[in-house]
Amino acid sequence: MAEEGVKVVGMWASPFVARVEMALRLKGVTYEYLREDLANKSEMLLRYNPVTKKVPVLVHGGKPMAESAVIVEYIDEVWKDGYPIMPADPYERAQARFWARYADEKCNPAIYVVYTSAIGEGQAKLVHEAQECLKTLQKALEGKKFFGGDAVGYLDIVVGWYARWVPIIEELSATSIVTLGGFSTSVTDQELPMIKAWFDRILAIDVVRETLPPRDKLLPLCKPDSDWVNLGGFWSLVAVGWIVSVMACVGSSNAVWVTAMMTWAGVHGVVLDGGWGGRSRVSSLSLTTGEGGTPLDVRAATLVVGAVAHRRRPRLECCPVVAVARAA
Amino acid sequence: MLSCSPTSTHHPHSTSSQHSHPQTQTDRHPSNAPTMASEKSSSDLTLLDFWVSPFGQRVRIALAEKSLPYEYVEEDLLAGKSERLLQSNPVHKKIPVLLHGGKPVNESLIIVQYLDEAFPDTPSLLPSDPYARAQARFWADYVDKKVYDCGSRLWKLKGEPQAQARAEMLEILKTLETELGDKEFFGGEHGFGFVDAAFAPFTPWFMSYEKYGEFKVAEVAPKIAAWAERVGKRESVAKSLYSPDKVYDFIGVLKKMYGIE
C-alpha cells in the first residue's frame, strides 16, 4: 500500500506514541507528525478519537485509528513486506500479545506507582512489586537478545520505553528497580541484570534511540516542579568545596536522616525549614561551604543527591530537597 | 439460551464431578453435538473454562463458529483452581485457557485471534482488511476494558459509587450503540465477527445490570438491545450462553461469597 497520507497525532513524551513511531520507522514509512497539546486537546484529535480522546492516533489515507498496540499490528499488516514486527508463528504471536497485555496491565501501573511513591518504608514494597512484574515479564526474554529474538519485535516495541523511563524513575524516586547503584530502598536489594542488559541493547538500536524522548528532555519533565533541585544546573555552579542546601521539615525523620547521610558522606550544609504540610518554595539558595571544603567523589555525591528528591505528591507532609553543586 | 449445563460439566452447585443433569434440563439438549464439546476429540484442543464466564464463552463461540472439535473441561472455580489450570496459566491463574497440543494460550481475545490464525481454513472472526481489523481490535478491547468491570461495580457497590457505575454503564452502552449504528452485527460487511463474539456473552448479563442499575437497555440503547436478541439466536451463541436468570442467580452466589448484602 502506498504511503499516502500517514499521520501520527502525538505528544513527544508519550511512550505510547513512541511505539507507533518506532513501528513506522522500522518499516521505513515516512509520516507527518502532528503535535498535540494534551492540556488543550485539538478539535482534530477529538474528531479522530472521540471514544478515548487520547494519543497516539494514526491516520492513514484519512482513516483514523487509536490504541498503540492495535496501531502497531496495523502497521505490521499494511507494510507486510517491510521489517517484520509480529512473529510469524501463530503461537508466538499469541505469546507476544499476551506479554504485551501483561506489561500494560500489570507492569505499567507497578512502575508508575514507584514513580509517585513517597520516599520511605512503604516504597520498598512497591519497588519489590515492580521488580516482581518485571521478573515475570523477563520470562519472555530468557535466552534471547530481544523479546523478538535476534532483532527487535512487537514486544520490544511495546515495552522498549521502559529502557528510558525506568532509570529516570529510579533516579527521581531514589530506588533501584532494575539498576543496582546508589541508594536502594528495594526489599531484596536485587537488580534485574537480564532486563538491564536488554535496556542497553535496545537503546543501542538507532530507531529506538531516535524515537524515545531524549533523557535530558524527559528527566526535567518527570521531575515535579522544583526549580531548586535542578541538579544539572547546579553542577555548573562554581564555588569552593561543596555547597549543599537542604530544605526539609526540621526535626522530621526525613530531615534527621538527610543530615545523617550528609554527615556520613562528609557533606556540609544547612537545613532550611520547609515547614509542615504542603510545599514551600525556596527562592534563594543558602550557600555554605564545607569545613575545609571536604572533597567528595562523584559517587558519594550521587548517593546523597539521589537519596532525596522533591516529591510531587501534595499529601507528603515533608519533602527533603537537596541540591548539590560541585566545585569546578 | 441453554437452560442447563453443557453435558461434560457438572452443575456449579453440585459436588459431583460426573455428568449431572439439573432439574431444569430439557430433553433436547442444545449442545447436542457429541463430537463438539463433550468427549476428547481428534483435534488436540482443550478448553479450561467456567460455565458462566463471558470470557470463556467468547472462546466457545469462536470454536463453534469454526466447527472445531474440542474437549471442554469445567474448572470449578468456586471450589478452587486445578493443578492443570495453575500450570497452564501461572501468570494470571484464570480461565479460559486453550490448550492446543498441550501448549497453553491465555486471554480470551488472544485465544480467539489465535484460533483465526492457527486454523486459517475456518471462518474467521476478524475481517481481512487491515483497517477493519484495527477497528475490530479497538472495539473488542473497549468491551474488554469496560463492560465486566463496570458491571461488577454495579452489583457490588451501593450509594454514590453504584450511581457512578450506573452512569458509566449507560455511557458504555451508548458508545457501543453509536458504533453499531444500523449494522446487523458489529462486524458490518464481514458479518458476525470479532466484536460480536467479544460482546455477545454479556447479553445475558443485561438483565442483571438492568435490575441493579434500574434502567432498561432497550430504552438506553435500543439498537444494542435488538442486536442482543439477534445474536442470541445465532447457534454458536445460543449454545454457549446461559439464561439471564442463571446469570442473575450466579451473581447472587458471588454476593453471598463476598459477604455483600
Side-chain angles (χ1 to χ4, degrees), chain B residues 9 11 18 28 40 49 51 62 82 84 99 103 105 107 112 140 157 176 179 181 199 213 219 222 226 261:
Chain B
T9 71
H11 191 277
Q18 303 284 80
R28 226 174 42 84
K40 236 188 187 100
D49 204 345
W51 66 285
S82 74
R84 172 148 70 157
L99 295 162
K103 297 202 298 187
V105 184
E107 301 287 325
V112 172
L157 307 174
L176 288 166
E179 170 54 23
F199 192 33
E219 284 166 14
E261 171 45 34

Side-chain angles (χ1 to χ4, degrees), chain A residues 9 34-36 41-49:
Chain A
V9 182
L34 302 173
R35 202 168 287 120
E36 190 64 35
K41 290 181 179 176
S42 70
E43 177 269 331
M44 173 192 71
L45 174 63
L46 300 179
R47 191 172 18 101
Y48 281 148
N49 185 8

Side-chain angles (χ1 to χ4, degrees), chain A residues 255-325:
Chain A
V256 169
W257 173 74
V258 166
T259 324
M261 291 300 292
M262 285 162 59
T263 309
W264 175 86
V267 175
H268 302 271
V270 66
V271 177
L272 306 172
D273 193 355
W276 280 107
R279 297 169 288 173
S280 55
R281 278 187 165 262
V282 172
S283 53
S284 68
L285 206 56
S286 169
L287 303 181
T288 312
T289 58
E291 294 274 72
T294 315
L296 268 182
D297 68 340
V298 177
R299 196 181 140 77
T302 310
L303 183 74
V304 176
V305 163
V308 293
H310 182 240
R311 302 304 330 146
R312 188 199 292 272
R313 291 175 72 177
R315 74 161 180 78
L316 185 62
E317 64 250 38
C318 184
C319 323
V321 171
V322 177
V324 175

Side-chain angles (χ1 to χ4, degrees), chain A residues 22-310:
Chain A
M22 234 180 265
L24 288 168
R25 286 179 194 220
L26 283 169
K27 296 278 187 187
V29 175
T30 49
Y31 58 94
E32 189 190 345
Y33 186 90
L34 302 173
R35 202 168 287 120
E36 190 64 35
D37 174 10
L38 296 183
N40 194 15
K41 290 181 179 176
S42 70
E43 177 269 331
M44 173 192 71
L45 174 63
L46 300 179
R47 191 172 18 101
Y48 281 148
N49 185 8
V51 179
T52 65
K53 308 177 177 58
K54 287 181 180 175
V55 294
V57 168
L58 180 79
V59 187
H60 187 200
K63 298 194 282 194
M65 61 205 95
E67 287 303 307
S68 58
V70 172
I71 296 172
V72 171
E73 286 217 48
Y74 172 83
I75 290 168
D76 198 39
E77 286 172 9
V78 169
W79 288 279
K80 57 185 182 298
D81 296 327
Y83 184 98
I85 291 177
M86 292 292 287
D89 172 66
Y91 188 76
E92 296 303 313
R93 291 160 78 91
Q95 295 307 301
R97 288 175 182 133
F98 173 85
W99 287 114
R101 201 183 152 119
Y102 176 79
D104 274 354
E105 288 187 357
K106 304 285 181 191
C107 296
N108 291 6
I111 292 167
Y112 183 73
V113 148
V114 173
Y115 168 55
T116 58
S117 63
I119 294 172
E121 306 97 44
Q123 202 184 32
K125 180 171 179 285
L126 300 176
V127 168
H128 181 68
E129 279 165 17
Q131 286 175 329
E132 288 301 306
C133 274
L134 288 171
K135 266 200 277 184
T136 304
L137 182 65
Q138 200 172 255
K139 291 185 176 126
L141 184 59
E142 261 155 32
K144 298 186 287 184
K145 280 179 72 181
F146 299 100
F147 288 100
D150 287 330
V152 162
Y154 177 71
L155 192 50
D156 300 279
I157 292 172
V158 167
V159 298
W161 63 281
Y162 290 171
R164 175 69 80 229
W165 262 261
V166 169
I168 287 176
I169 289 170
E170 286 174 324
E171 183 179 322
L172 293 179
S173 61
T175 58
S176 290
I177 306 170
V178 170
T179 316
L180 189 69
F183 184 82
S184 168
T185 56
S186 70
V187 168
T188 58
D189 206 23
Q190 216 175 56
E191 60 179 344
L192 299 173
M194 204 188 298
I195 297 277
K196 175 69 171 69
W198 172 77
F199 279 2
D200 294 337
R201 277 196 294 273
I202 198 151
L203 289 175
I205 304 282
D206 289 342
V207 164
V208 173
R209 210 181 39 256
E210 286 159 14
T211 316
L212 291 178
R215 186 188 144 83
D216 58 13
K217 270 184 87 181
L218 190 60
L219 181 60
L221 183 77
C222 292
K223 235 185 256 193
D225 52 80
S226 49
D227 301 359
W228 62 95
V229 185
N230 189 343
L231 301 171
F234 285 129
W235 280 106
S236 65
L237 273 182
V238 178
V240 177
W242 292 92
I243 302 158
V244 178
S245 173
V246 178
M247 183 184 81
C249 300
V250 174
S252 75
S253 57
N254 277 337
V256 169
W257 173 74
V258 166
T259 324
M261 291 300 292
M262 285 162 59
T263 309
W264 175 86
V267 175
H268 302 271
V270 66
V271 177
L272 306 172
D273 193 355
W276 280 107
R279 297 169 288 173
S280 55
R281 278 187 165 262
V282 172
S283 53
S284 68
L285 206 56
S286 169
L287 303 181
T288 312
T289 58
E291 294 274 72
T294 315
L296 268 182
D297 68 340
V298 177
R299 196 181 140 77
T302 310
L303 183 74
V304 176
V305 163
V308 293
H310 182 240

Side-chain angles (χ1 to χ4, degrees), chain B residues 121-142:
Chain B
D121 297 330
T122 61
S124 66
L125 282 156
L126 276 170
S128 48
D129 171 65
Y131 185 69
R133 290 162 73 85
Q135 293 300 97
R137 285 184 175 125
F138 175 87
W139 285 107
D141 187 55
Y142 178 85

